[in-house]
Amino acid sequence: MEKRKTEIATNSSTPVSAGPAIAENPAKIGCCTHQYHHKHKYFGEKTELFFALLAGIFLAAGFTTTFFLAAEASVILYLISYFFGGYFTAIESVQGIRNGKFEIDFLMLAAAIGAAFIGQWGEGALLLFLFSLGHSLEHFAMDKAKKSIQALAGVAPKTALLKQGSSASEVPIEQLVPGDVIIVKPHSKIAADGIIISGSSAVNEAPVTGESIPADKKPYPQKPDVEQHAHLPKEHKVYAGTINGAGNLEVAVTKVAADSTIARLVALVNEAQTQKSSTQNFITKVEKYYVPAVLILVVCLLFAFLVKDEAFNKSLYRAITVLVAASPCALAISTPSAVLSGVARAARGSVLIKGGKPLEALGNIDAIAFDKTGTLTTGKPSLTNIISVDGFDESNLLKVVLAVESLSDHPIAKSVSDALIQKGIESEARATNVLAVPGQGVTATFQSKEVIIGNRALLHSRGVFISNEMEARLSGLEASGNTAMLVAQNNTLIGIITVMDTPRADAKQTIQSLKNMGLKKLIMLSGDNQKVADAIAAETGITHAIGNLFPEQKLEIIEKMQADGSRLAMVGDGVNDAPAMARSAVGIAMGAAGSDVALETADVALMADKLSNLPFVIGLSKKAKSIIRQNLFISLGMVAVLVPLTLLDIAHIGPAVIGHEGSTIVVVFNALRLLVYK
Ligand code: ADP
Ligand code: MG
């Protein structure tokens, strides 16, 4: 009970261990590269909004007094309004100029001062009022998106119950080191990534993977090697931030707090906010020319009185109005706000999107390539046949296989070794020199003999002889959907083990949803034989399957498809598919919670080992893409309308300010719709 209380108390405090990156690095957004800290001095977070509202009140008061009192009285009120409306704008302008940057804040301030100069106090105050109000609403909106990421950082508890001999004491999670043993009480949060060494429980992993069905966990039978964390079966592993069920657990810590899956997810999401999308890069380039062009135009307009028969004040007024109308505030914030909201929404759905680039790219794809084993299939195949060749002793064969495959990362290898352990096979000795041949198999030394386990291609390439009789038998097994693994010892075939993998339960439904979203080309790339690939394709609805591929050939196919104009995403487990994922427009890794490699290398990582998150994240990206388009249309459209109107003296400062600030706010709130996607 004690423990629960502390947890709840600590969880509600805002700055969290994995979170400071957010607080210290407010994303630099658009034209308004604001630093947040100095705003919190007076009335906390709302200072900016308060000041804006005060500016509004004094503006209204100033305007009202013009009807009753002397002009001086209203000027005083307007001046106060200027102060509140311009306070933060001025601070930011000064900071901007110190950093050698002319930003919109400066332009707005200049416009307001210009307005005062020609006696248009009211309009100048209106400009500063709306500009500061717009800013505070913008920040409010952006904070909303950031808070949903911060919530993620608050998932892990702050303290852990560290076991020391027969007693236990509560320590901050930062003090835990790999190898420590922590006690996890029933129904409490797990404090660290680790391996269960005693106790069983159903763990709710939703905070990390989004999977709501609790996962059954049991102790690892041997003394765990904490270095092996990534290679252990999921049923022994737990993650910081997940919630223990009814059992009492003892967990050997495998990661320091800063390296836990959830801490890395948060760090990557934070990084993602700063990764620019292609639209953003484009806008940045345009702005480089646009902003100086506007300034030149405005300076020219100042001298309109030389060619046009008008007073200087009139020219100045027009120049100020055009300046406001042409400022690309809405344009600058249109994409970052959508990216931030999209990344935040995905993170809440346990999907990591690493920034604007993959978000936009994913919204653009028209084809998906899937890996087979472990992606479309469960990757937990059942053992179907054990054949020893030429009278080789079967139990010896199985010992060799277990000794080697228990040290391989491949999903098939894991299932085979699990099945053999279930059968009661034990191998006293461990294999050495275990070397994975990606997409083909594995080689090793066991009891001073060379062992090769893998597909035909691997054995052929190592010169192992396969008799015609064996070939025929193999083909027969493959035709019925088996994946065969051939075992050779000192270059002689000693046995064949076959397994059969089944499609994931959600594969068919997912493929159908993707087709419904308009994705026509859904292909499968597999290192397994063509017959098995075809069988799985037929069962899942994949449109085209290519088997017998080496990893390099997968790359070639991806390159060729992209050269032919496909906008391709590659979905894999992120471990042995990393190169193919890196080469495609968007690399999507599944089950990233269990794999550091997947989390680091993928552009998009589905934390849960669940295909059905794929339509969600693609749908979200498509939505983000259309919102970005709408935002560009709104922001550019407003500039296109306002600039001619102000140039021709049709629109005055008031409408220019309202149009300019209005479009900025519309754009931000439009982007926020992504936060509530689906
Ligand atoms: P997929 O493309 O379907 O995910 P991979 O490229 O990972 O398949 O593997 C292709 C084939 O290589 C497997 O079907 C299997 O026959 C063989 N193979 C790969 N790794 C191993 C291993 N550790 N042990 C035995 N066979 C393996
Ligand atoms: Mg694979």
Side-chain angles (χ1 to χ4, degrees), residues 371-373 405 408 410 439-441 483 485 526-528 554 576:
D371 177 49
K372 180 179 76 72
T373 312
E405 292 290 44
S408 163
H410 200 272
Q440 296 187 48
T483 298
M485 296 151 62
S526 179
D528 205 344
K554 290 188 184 181
N576 47 15

